[in-house]
Amino acid sequence: MTTLPRVVVLATGGTIAGSASSAASSARYQAATVPVTALLDAVPALKDVARIEAEQVAQVDSKDMSFALWHRLAARVHHWSTQPDVTGIVITHGTDTLEETGMLLHLAAAASVPVVLTAAMRPSTSLSADGPMNLLDAVRVAAHPAAAGKGVLVVVNQEIHAARDAVKAHTCAVQAFVSPVSGPLGFVQDALVRFTRAPLRLPAQPWPLPAGSWPVVEIVASYAEPGRALVDALVASGVQGLVVAAAGNGSIHETLVDALAGAARAGVAVVRSSRTGAGNVLAPANPNPQAGVFVTAGDLNPYKARVALLLALAGDPALVADAAGLQRRFADI
Ligand code: SIN
């Protein structure tokens, strides 16, 4: 008799653990109310795929994600990935900030086994809830030999994405996650787990999480006629990093360039990302002399770029005054 793989499910809350008073409701519900044991009980087929062990790491709506919970989650991933006989780890998470936690774990998780984030757009009590199938598919991927060495993954709506790439791109559709630049890594169709390509941008070494307090990194946006008061106030409050959700290929309104150049001169790391939702931000061929010290985030959206900047500055606070060094960090992601 063959032994089934051992998969650990770490539950953090979200809509996948949400409930509503009416099964007809997919939008009015309370996230993070149903315990992981009940989520697992709702999917009897899991027992044919893996030996499951579950841990309720948190029970939160992911809009309220915190650095403390990121620390706890990364620690539980590390713990379980070093236990003998664990084949893979599944994390249930809210969809709203899954792309940020996914980015964090992509950079920081020192896991020797597959780590798969999954979620749902409809609460567990909904007609046609998507959580049970996403959970089953995530366990199938975490237990599959082909998932080894692919980094942290996201499995939602039968697609497998690299956590580095996956972003939430819809407010309510069950097909809410896309990898806008690279596309999915593969798919799950019943018992068939098929990778169609491999992720190439895996970190050579895990990026350490901050040992003490986290750097202060905020996001500002460029749009028509922006004021500079927000940037000036952030600099005055001691911000260490700013990510700009810039227009197009990273273009920033001249008023904001002026304010951000002042921030850079004051020792704030400034990173340009794009608000478009897809594509790479190149360093300009003829940089505005004022903006020459801004780092580009490549194809990371502002939220993912912020996570990378948090960890980069935590690992090396001197990067606030070393744009070239910080640019090299971003080029590695
Ligand atoms: C959440 O992010 O926790 C709530 C929304 C969702 O999971 O879809």
Side-chain angles (χ1 to χ4, degrees):
M1 202 177 100
T2 52
T3 314
L4 289 175
R6 183 178 177 213
V7 172
V8 177
V9 177
L10 302 178
T12 69
T15 293
I16 193 168
S19 56
S21 53
S22 156
S25 175
S26 68
R28 294 191 187 281
Y29 62 91
Q30 177 97 37
T33 54
V34 179
V36 63
T37 44
L39 300 183
L40 295 170
D41 288 348
V43 192
L46 282 168
K47 70 174 184 339
D48 302 323
V49 178
R51 290 173 291 140
I52 305 280
E53 212 145 326
E55 192 175 302
Q56 191 80 50
V57 177
Q59 190 64 296
V60 295
D61 186 320
S62 79
K63 72 180 173 55
D64 297 324
M65 186 49 61
S66 64
F67 295 153
L69 180 46
W70 275 351
H71 258 298
R72 203 180 327 147
L73 189 55
R76 296 319 289 158
V77 166
H78 179 69
H79 166 80
W80 283 111
S81 77
T82 53
Q83 299 308 299
D85 193 27
V86 168
T87 309
I89 297 170
V90 168
I91 299 170
T92 59
H93 198 286
T95 60
D96 284 348
T97 59
L98 186 148
E99 67 196 70
E100 295 171 57
T101 301
M103 187 70 203
L104 180 98
L105 293 174
H106 163 78
L107 291 173
S112 49
V113 299
V115 176
V116 181
L117 288 139
T118 193
M121 293 297 287
R122 296 177 182 153
S124 66
T125 49
S126 168
L127 287 173
S128 235
D130 51 333
M133 185 150 155
N134 286 344
L135 181 55
L136 179 60
D137 287 349
V139 170
R140 282 176 164 141
V141 172
H144 200 281
K150 301 275 190 318
V152 180
L153 303 170
V154 174
V155 171
V156 170
N157 205 36
Q158 296 189 288
E159 289 186 345
I160 308 169
H161 295 263
R164 177 200 183 279
D165 301 334
V167 297
K168 184 174 180 180
H170 202 284
T171 58
C172 60
V174 291
Q175 178 55 17
F177 283 86
V178 296
S179 294
V181 173
S182 321
L185 297 178
F187 59 89
V188 189
Q189 197 177 14
D190 296 344
L192 176 69
V193 172
R194 170 73 42 90
F195 282 87
T196 51
R197 65 181 188 85
L200 295 179
R201 303 199 63 79
L202 299 177
Q205 304 287 337
W207 294 33
L209 293 184
S213 57
W214 288 57
V216 181
V217 176
E218 304 292 352
I219 298 174
V220 295
S222 183
Y223 38 75
E225 195 74 37
R228 57 173 295 150
L230 187 55
V231 171
D232 291 343
L234 286 167
V235 174
S237 75
V239 75
Q240 286 140 292
L242 288 173
V243 174
V244 192
N249 184 7
S251 29
I252 304 173
H253 192 286
E254 56 192 357
T255 303
L256 214 52
V257 166
D258 203 49
L260 291 164
R265 282 194 298 276
V268 176
V270 179
V271 173
R272 289 184 310 127
S273 174
S274 175
R275 63 180 213 185
T276 57
N280 191 66
V281 172
L282 272 183
N286 298 303
N288 173 323
Q290 287 214 88
V293 290
F294 301 167
V295 167
T296 82
D299 65 344
L300 301 179
N301 76 12
Y303 314 103
K304 287 178 182 282
R306 174 176 179 263
V307 174
L309 186 54
L310 280 165
L311 295 195
L313 296 184
D316 183 0
L319 287 175
V320 290
D322 176 9
L326 186 59
Q327 186 65 77
R328 281 195 295 277
R329 279 312 257 155
F330 270 84
D332 278 347
I333 299 171

